[in-house]
């Protein structure tokens, strides 16, 4: 048996327990991979990493300030990946665990300058790129921000061969991965790994400036899995479509790793659309689904919605932003237990759960804290607020990240005994937590605090409105007032501002009413289909 511990032992130990159970389904090709398959593939990739020197060496490992390095933890060599969801991502997750390396997934939605800055931050020893993003990475290698001297392996598009002639990118030579992948899938004898050693670098979904690389240790990944399994009640026969991208914490920590931990089945694809997700739920008898509110809404509006058998779903969770009550009711009407979750790359992300037989009047909350999570709401001085008062949400858990790689000042602002989330919340008398929006998004109108999330919930209740963002704009009389930027439902007529305010009269205090109204064909998104509030503010905020 390998000496690798923690994440590096997951595939081997799961393969020993349930070798013929299907762990991964690639919907793009229809191929199913058992846990025995996944461990063999991970061992082949571990040998490839070994050939490229991507193996942890405590004597050589260096650390940048502002991360776990401050407590004596080093990061091993890094592997950067730019790809859509595909089996090789899973192979590399387990393989880097076996070699003590760090996996750094990078978004393929970035522009070349942004990607170049992230590559410079990660400083990888090896880069793995899916062919459709070769030009993106090639453009990043031409930037001064990244001194591109790491070899690059290409992953071919499904059904094709890699570029056998290689490809020039800066001074770097590209090689097709299958030309150098080891044939030996037997157990790989890797280095010993400590619980606190970093294993994942996941960048934040910031829409202004370069995202920060969050350092997640082996121990943090295990604890998030345990929190999810125990609080959500995951089972070894669970099946889930993984609709989040694997460059995002949702792609790994929301369900993929907890389901692997339990020995369940994860279904991936390069891209998902709402109709396809509905098809997988029915065809694969999916039991668990987590998605962003926009995807859940689009599923309810799809032609397949009414005819899809949803009876296999034990529960569905919404994450990545507030889920409108109308969307929740559409799922409830189909007999599906849909509730809201809350998380962030820096902690978890699975921090809360709904108690058994939770009442529908708590649907606006994210539930109560998971077994190994402490949550509190504090004022600007860091003092805990009583129930019912709004303040910043802080979290404490062994699944919290260690910091931001190479960013000591930002790390100090966010991480400590408690993780400062930057989100406003309140806790009711029964311990249910309500998220009231981002701290930086709150604005003051005529001396009254206005929380955009609450206004948006009321605006979206209007029958013509599919979604909305409320942003502050200057006002001579009140200092600031709200502008509602609205995405209409298909075929709906635009309401006037007076129409909208009349609709809100018995729903919101008048000082919260938007005083300006704008329309967009579609609200901009960032990350895994989360609404990009900064982009809305940049266009409509003056």
């Amino acid at each position: 048996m390998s000496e690798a511990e923690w994440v590096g032992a997951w595939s081997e130990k799961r393969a020993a327990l349930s070798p013929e159970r299907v762990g991964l389904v690639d919907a793009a090709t229809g191929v199913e991979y058992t846990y025995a398959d996944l461990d063999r593939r991970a061992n082949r990739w571990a040998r490839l990493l070994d050939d490229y020197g991507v193996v942890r060496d405590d004597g050589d490992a260096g650390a940048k300030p502002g991360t776990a390095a401050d407590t004596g933890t080093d990061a091993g060599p890094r592997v950067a990946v730019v790809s859509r969801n595909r089996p090789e991502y899973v192979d590399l997750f387990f393989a880097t665990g076996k070699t003590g390396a760090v996996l750094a997934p990078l978004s393929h939605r970035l522009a070349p300058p942004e990607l170049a800055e992230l590559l410079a931050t990660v400083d990888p020893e090896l880069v793995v790129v899916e062919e459709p993003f070769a030009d993106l990475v090639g453009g990043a290698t031409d930037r001064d921000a990244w001194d591109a001297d790491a070899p690059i392996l290409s992953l071919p598009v499904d059904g094709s061969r890699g570029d056998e002639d290689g490809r020039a990118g800066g001074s770097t030579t590209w090689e097709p991965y299958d030309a150098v992948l080891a044939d030996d899938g037997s157990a790989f004898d890797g280095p010993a790994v400590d619980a606190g050693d970093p294993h994942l670098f996941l960048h934040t979904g910031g829409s202004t400036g370069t995202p920060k690389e969050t350092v997640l240790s082996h121990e943090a990944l295990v604890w998030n899995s345990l929190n999810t399994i125990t609080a959500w009640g995951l089972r070894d026969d669970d099946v889930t479509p993984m609709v989040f991208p694997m460059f995002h914490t949702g792609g790994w920590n929301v369900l993929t790793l907890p389901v692997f931990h339990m020995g369940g089945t994860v279904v991936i694809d390069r891209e998902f659309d709402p109709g396809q997700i509905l098809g997988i739920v029915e065809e694969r008898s999916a039991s668990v689904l987590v998605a962003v509110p926009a995807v859940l809404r689009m599923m309810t509006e799809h032609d397949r919605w009414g005819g899809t058998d949803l009876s296999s779903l034990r529960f569905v969770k919404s994450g990545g932003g507030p889920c409108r009550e109308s969307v929740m009711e559409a799922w409830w009407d189909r007999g599906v237990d849909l509730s809201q979750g809350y998380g962030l790359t820096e902690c978890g992300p699975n921090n809360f759960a709904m108690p058994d037989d939770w009442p529908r009047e708590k649907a606006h909350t994210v539930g109560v804290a998971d077994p190994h999570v402490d949550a509190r709401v504090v004022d600007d001085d860091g003092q805990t607020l009583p129930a019912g008062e709004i303040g910043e949400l802080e979290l404490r858990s062994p699944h919290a990240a260690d910091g931001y790689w190479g960013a000591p000042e930002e790390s100090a602002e966010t991480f400590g005994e408690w993780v400062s989330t930057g989100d406003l919340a309140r806790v009711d008398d029964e311990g249910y937590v309500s998220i009231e929006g981002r701290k930086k998004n709150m604005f003051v109108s005529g001396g009254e605090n206005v929380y955009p999330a609450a206004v948006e919930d009321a605006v979206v209740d209007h029958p013509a409105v599919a979604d909305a963002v409320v942003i502050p704009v200057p006002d001579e009389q009140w200092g600031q007032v709200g502008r509602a930027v609205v995405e209409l439902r298909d075929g709906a007529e635009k309401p006037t501002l007076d129409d909208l305010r009349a609709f809100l009269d018995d729903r919101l205090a008048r000082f919260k009413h938007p005083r300006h109204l704008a329309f967009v064909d579609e609200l901009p998104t960032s990350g895994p289909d989360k609404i990009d509030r900064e982009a809305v503010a940049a266009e409509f905020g003056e």
Side-chain angles (χ1 to χ4, degrees), residues 52-54 64 76-82 102-106 115-128 137 146-152 172 201 213 405:
Y52 280 88
V54 191
K64 297 184 180 181
R78 274 80 69 194
V79 180
V81 182
V82 182
V102 174
L103 181 64
L106 304 179
L115 183 61
E117 290 190 43
L118 275 183
L119 284 165
T121 300
V122 171
D123 191 20
E125 277 72 18
L126 180 68
V127 182
V128 179
V137 176
W146 181 42
D147 182 14
D149 58 359
I152 299 178
T172 303
F201 281 7
E213 288 288 346
W405 185 246

Side-chain angles (χ1 to χ4, degrees), residues 287-512:
S287 55
V288 180
L289 172 66
V290 182
V292 297
V295 170
L296 295 173
R297 173 174 61 84
M298 288 186 287
M299 290 175 72
T300 67
E301 296 171 350
H302 197 273
D303 292 342
R304 299 186 65 168
W305 173 251
T308 300
D309 182 1
L310 304 178
S311 61
S312 62
L313 286 170
R314 295 195 296 111
F315 66 85
V316 174
K317 277 193 169 291
S318 168
C323 189
R324 310 308 182 192
E325 188 171 346
S326 60
V327 175
M328 302 183 77
E329 287 176 345
W331 285 87
W332 297 340
D333 289 345
R334 294 295 312 277
V336 178
D337 179 17
L338 170 62
S339 62
Q340 301 192 77
Y342 170 85
L344 63 165
T345 306
E346 292 85 346
C347 191
N350 300 336
N351 297 293
F352 298 94
M354 284 298 194
D356 295 342
D357 301 320
W358 60 275
R360 286 288 182 258
E361 58 265 26
K362 301 292 188 180
H364 65 284
T365 77
V366 295
V368 301
D370 286 349
H372 305 289
V373 176
D374 294 324
R376 68 179 186 179
V377 173
V378 299
D379 61 19
D380 290 340
D381 295 323
Q383 300 301 307
T384 301
L385 292 170
E389 293 196 21
I390 296 177
E392 183 176 4
L393 177 65
E394 292 190 337
L395 299 170
R396 180 172 60 187
S397 173
H399 71 204
D402 291 321
Y404 300 121
W405 185 246
E409 293 182 5
E410 292 88 344
S411 294
E413 291 175 0
T414 301
F415 298 93
E417 180 185 357
W418 294 83
V419 176
S420 300
T421 68
D423 287 312
L424 294 168
R426 76 170 91 210
V427 183
D428 68 18
D429 291 333
E430 297 174 89
Y432 285 80
V433 176
S434 303
I435 306 301
E436 303 295 334
R438 293 292 290 170
K439 186 175 181 180
K440 65 180 181 180
N441 293 334
M442 186 199 79
F443 61 94
V444 179
S445 183
E448 298 282 359
N449 292 344
V450 179
Y451 302 97
V455 183
E456 291 158 6
D457 282 342
V459 170
V460 171
D461 283 341
H462 191 285
V465 177
D467 215 335
V469 169
V470 173
I471 57 174
V473 294
D475 184 83
E476 290 187 5
Q477 181 176 3
W478 304 112
Q480 288 180 309
V481 295
R483 169 174 284 160
V485 182
V486 167
E487 177 184 331
L488 295 173
R489 293 188 180 276
D490 290 342
E493 294 186 7
K494 293 181 180 178
T496 67
L497 179 61
D498 287 342
D499 291 337
L500 181 61
R501 296 194 65 191
F503 175 80
L504 296 176
D505 264 340
D506 60 352
R507 291 172 168 82
L508 284 176
R510 292 188 66 83
F511 73 84
K512 299 179 183 179

